[in-house]
Amino acid sequence: MAGTIDRRGVGGRPRGEPTTVMRLPLPVANLARRLREGTLRAGDINAFLDVEASGKGSVPLVDGTAACGFPSPADDYLDRPLDFNELLIRNPAATFAVRLASESMTGAGLFPGDIAVIDRSVEPTPGCIVLALLDGEFTVKRYRPRGNVVVLQAENPAYPDIEITGERAFEVWGVITKSIRML
């Protein structure tokens, strides 16, 4: 028909995928575009996230232990102040934190609402827990290389393991080195 326009594929998105119009700062829009295109790499996050600590904070650390059973008298001595940055972060320039949202890793002691500390400078080794970008979505799983295949293992029997094949976009963004339990 004369005068009709075929709009399938206009805008570079697959037909049927829901979208919304929203105003974003250019750096955020560029990050989202690159994430969608699959061209975002772990090192690129430095340009977007500020991983430097803005200030030091410390709390007193009691020189002693606290029994979880029968109560004992408190010690009167304080050890040097405890700096949480020093306790949780090995490499500040390569470290960031993420709040967990799934129950797939509860068997490893990682629960929804907990905060995972991720170090991008640590090379993943068999059995470590990683933050991975899989087909444009983040996931936290145990890293299990098996020959030419990588399996991302859940630590909850209700969730299946994920076998990484050559057809999938996959990248390890970092290794979880610590976690903070949020009660």
Side-chain angles (χ1 to χ4, degrees):
M1 255 203 261
T4 52
I5 299 172
D6 184 2
R7 296 209 177 264
R8 287 177 294 188
V10 171
R13 67 176 179 85
R15 186 167 184 79
E17 185 177 329
T19 63
T20 187
V21 176
M22 104 179 10
R23 294 176 61 93
L24 296 172
L26 285 177
V28 175
N30 288 333
L31 182 73
R33 178 186 47 79
R34 292 188 61 207
L35 182 62
R36 176 73 175 107
E37 293 170 349
T39 60
L40 189 65
R41 298 291 171 237
D44 298 338
I45 203 73
N46 280 340
F48 186 73
L49 293 178
D50 180 13
V51 293
E52 300 266 301
S54 60
K56 281 196 147 198
S58 63
V59 296
L61 175 64
V62 175
D63 185 21
T65 59
C68 293
F70 190 74
S72 64
D75 291 332
D76 291 331
Y77 301 99
L78 294 178
D79 200 353
R80 68 182 181 90
L82 179 63
D83 179 350
F84 286 103
N85 290 314
E86 184 181 303
L87 182 67
L88 296 172
I89 300 170
R90 288 186 241 170
N91 185 351
T95 302
F96 64 99
V98 65
R99 188 172 303 274
L100 303 177
S102 168
E103 294 186 355
S104 69
M105 296 301 289
T106 56
L110 300 173
F111 294 89
D114 289 356
I115 297 171
V117 178
I118 296 134
D119 189 333
R120 291 177 287 124
S121 69
V122 175
E123 283 293 320
T125 57
C128 72
I129 299 174
V130 299
L131 173 70
L133 185 62
L134 180 62
D135 296 332
E137 294 186 27
F138 287 107
T139 186
V140 172
K141 298 285 184 282
R142 196 164 296 279
Y143 179 77
R144 299 277 187 203
R146 296 180 181 152
N148 294 335
V149 175
V150 172
V151 174
L152 297 178
Q153 176 187 351
E155 290 287 342
N156 180 338
Y159 292 81
D161 295 343
I162 302 168
E163 186 172 304
I164 306 302
T165 60
E167 298 84 39
R168 302 193 80 173
F170 169 72
E171 182 179 2
V172 173
W173 270 46
V175 173
I176 296 179
T177 56
K178 303 279 192 292
S179 68
I180 303 166
R181 168 67 35 82
M182 303 304 289
L183 299 174

